[in-house]
Amino acid sequence: MKVKYRIWKYELLVNDTQSVDMPVNAEILSVDSQRGTLFLWAMVDADGMKEKRVFEVIGTGNPVPQGMGTERRFIGTVLMGPFAWHVFERTGGIR
């Protein structure tokens, strides 16, 4: 029996905005830190075509980017040492 779905993890940089190549329709499960690195976990169709998805990592107290194409969906908050990082996915407009 061939397995269609898998759980994959993606490293996120502690950086304002970044794109990640993921299989189309990947379902974001969570974000957290592992050994001091920020990761995002998603359930994916491992054989699916890829698409770019855009994520924002915003520290507490830092400005939130505004303007055209900044519709976003909150994924989660990750505490790493003295910092709290808030992860969002851009959901509409320009990616």
Side-chain angles (χ1 to χ4, degrees), residues 56-70:
E56 297 174 323
V57 179
I58 303 169
T60 299
N62 292 345
V64 176
Q66 298 298 309
M68 187 173 173
T70 54

Side-chain angles (χ1 to χ4, degrees), residues 5-20:
Y5 294 100
R6 297 181 183 276
I7 308 281
W8 283 359
K9 75 177 180 181
Y10 299 87
E11 183 175 347
L12 295 179
L13 302 175
V14 178
N15 184 343
D16 287 343
T17 304
Q18 61 206 279
S19 64
V20 176

Side-chain angles (χ1 to χ4, degrees), residues 8-13 17-24 26 28 38-42 44 50-57 87-89 95:
W8 283 359
K9 75 177 180 181
Y10 299 87
E11 183 175 347
L12 295 179
L13 302 175
T17 304
Q18 61 206 279
S19 64
V20 176
D21 287 327
M22 306 175 82
V24 172
I28 306 301
L38 183 62
F39 286 100
L40 177 145
W41 283 265
V44 304
K50 301 285 192 291
E51 68 178 348
K52 286 195 182 302
R53 293 179 59 175
V54 178
F55 297 92
E56 297 174 323
V57 179
V87 180
F88 297 84
E89 180 179 12
R95 289 183 167 202

